[in-house]
Every structure is written in structure tokens, then in C-alpha cells.
Amino acid sequence: SAVISQKPSRDICQRGTSLTIQCQVDSQVTMMFWYRQQPGQSLTLIATANQGSEATYESGFVIDKFPISRPNLTFSTLTVSNMSPEDSSIYLCSVRQGGLETQYFGPGTRLLVL
Amino acid sequence: AQTVTQSQPEMSVQEAETVTLSCTYDTSESDYYLFWYKQPPSRQMILVIRQEAYKQQNATENRFSVNFQKAAKSFSLKISDSQLGDAAMYFCAYRGYGNKLVFGAGTILRVKS
């Protein structure tokens, strides 16, 4: 299975600022995904990031708030812009790999916005 | 749109006993994948087991097995010989023809020693 790392692992930020989360995979993958997990909740897909094309956002998520970069097949970033306390969540990077296209997850970035 | 329902917010099991976590889903698609993920307090999402809908045989991974009932759209997870390390949040997930992995609300599993 893919080994996925995320930076930072956690951060405390002030409202109105922005944070960029990095996701690095140890092998080339076509499809990368960004999820949000609000406190006590399940995972919600923010967007799908394919290399060489614009990210596809789910309903309720917009590029201005969550810009995504996907410069190559092993790396992606998610920026949480103009943060508010409601953005306090765990943000997880995920990739699809393997013959059954199983989805694997990074360790997550725990964000607290004050 | 596809939905995944986990009707048990919390379950408890005695160490070494067996527990079954329930999951139902709603879809009009005929071919899809189903997954169970485990999320311990570390928050790392760990794949426990997966099932392809076209396979009638239930998937098994060591102490973990599923009861896949396609007609009933049911996908339960059985954990045998429960261990303290099994304590976690368990998520059932569905993926059909689209790229989106749809998660249930999760079930907290507590293991008593």
C-alpha cells in the first residue's frame, strides 16, 4: 500500500489567516483526494485532485476557500484560506492505488482555528 | 445519490468475544466496492477489509470478516476474538462508478478487559 505523509501534523491558527497542508506519496498515483473530518463527524470529500487538470470540488466547497495544487504524481497541497473557527477539523489526504483501487489515507492534519 | 447508514453509534465487546457492526447502503448501481475502515485515537484511517460487489464470497482478513448481502444491501463486519487494540471508530464506506468514497457516520467500538 502507498505510504502517505502530511505536513503539518497539527497547527493552531488565528482566524483570517491561511494554512497550506502538504501531502506526499511514496509512489506515483493518478487520483488524490482531500477530505475534512469535523469534530465527532464522519469524513467529507472536499475535492479530487488529478495531475494536469483542475481539481474537482464537491458541493459546498469552493476553490477560493480551498485552493488545491497537484504539480506532479506524488504531491499535492490543500490551502485553507481566510480561516474561521468553523474550519477547525482534521484534513486528510487520500490516494487510490492497486488492482482493486483501494483508497489509502494519510495521517491527517489537525487544525484548530482560534 | 448513494448513502451509507451505520445504525449503531456505539458498541461494546468483551475481550476475546465476537462483535458484529452493521452497515446498510442505498444504491441503484450494480457494480461497486465496499470497505470497512478503522480509525483509532491516533486518527489514522486504516483499511480493515474490502468487498467487490460482483463476488458472492464474503471477504475475510484474519479475525475480520464480512457478511455481504447484496439483495438486502447490507455489509456487516464481524470481529472475532476481540482485542484491546480493536477499540476504535469503524467506518463503512461505498464506492460505485464515480470516484467518490461515501462514508457512514461511524460506530465507536469499545473493548472491555
Side-chain angles (χ1 to χ4, degrees):
Chain A
S1 63
V3 176
I4 307 168
S5 60
Q6 286 185 233
K7 290 182 181 179
S9 59
R10 59 176 63 217
D11 207 341
I12 301 173
C13 300
Q14 297 298 317
R15 69 172 66 209
T17 63
S18 298
L19 176 72
T20 295
I21 302 168
Q22 298 179 6
C23 177
Q24 180 75 50
V25 190
D26 68 341
S27 57
Q28 293 184 339
V29 293
T30 302
M31 304 188 73
M32 294 182 78
F33 307 87
W34 287 98
Y35 286 81
R36 181 176 74 180
Q37 186 177 24
Q38 295 177 300
Q41 302 295 314
S42 185
L43 281 74
T44 301
L45 180 63
I46 297 172
T48 301
N50 293 332
Q51 195 267 339
S53 63
E54 294 286 326
T56 303
Y57 289 82
E58 295 296 309
S59 176
F61 297 96
V62 296
I63 188 171
D64 289 346
K65 175 68 175 177
F66 297 101
I68 288 171
S69 77
R70 181 80 201 274
N72 58 53
L73 291 173
T74 64
F75 187 79
S76 178
T77 67
L78 169 76
T79 298
V80 186
S81 304
N82 188 25
M83 287 183 286
S84 67
E86 292 70 35
D87 294 319
S88 298
S89 295
I90 296 171
Y91 292 86
L92 298 108
C93 171
S94 177
V95 304
R96 189 169 296 164
Q97 192 183 57
L100 293 177
E101 295 196 323
T102 297
Q103 214 158 310
Y104 299 97
F105 288 82
T109 295
R110 190 185 296 256
L111 172 62
L112 176 63
V113 184
L114 302 177
Chain B
Q2 292 79 23
T3 58
V4 177
T5 302
Q6 293 180 249
S7 59
Q8 306 154 318
E10 189 171 328
M11 292 284 284
S12 292
V13 63
Q14 199 69 35
E15 199 175 3
E17 298 290 305
T18 295
V19 64
T20 298
L21 308 184
S22 301
C23 173
T24 59
Y25 56 95
D26 185 26
T27 184
S28 58
E29 297 173 331
S30 58
D31 196 17
Y32 47 86
Y33 295 96
L34 295 164
F35 304 88
W36 278 98
Y37 284 89
K38 167 185 176 182
Q39 189 179 43
S42 68
R43 295 299 184 182
Q44 174 74 57
M45 290 287 284
I46 302 166
L47 176 67
V48 175
I49 200 165
R50 61 187 167 215
Q51 173 84 42
E52 301 98 296
Y54 66 86
K55 286 189 176 180
Q56 292 185 340
Q57 186 174 6
N58 289 323
T60 299
E61 288 286 343
N62 300 314
R63 297 183 296 107
F64 299 87
S65 61
V66 298
N67 183 5
F68 173 48
Q69 302 289 329
K70 190 171 184 178
K73 298 179 182 175
S74 172
F75 182 62
S76 60
L77 174 70
K78 185 171 83 172
I79 306 174
S80 304
D81 186 25
S82 297
Q83 302 175 359
L84 294 176
D86 295 332
M89 175 77 89
Y90 286 80
F91 291 100
C92 177
Y94 167 102
R95 193 180 81 241
Y97 297 127
N99 292 322
K100 188 173 179 178
L101 192 60
V102 179
F103 286 90
T107 297
I108 297 172
L109 178 65
R110 304 192 191 281
V111 181
K112 302 175 183 177
S113 59

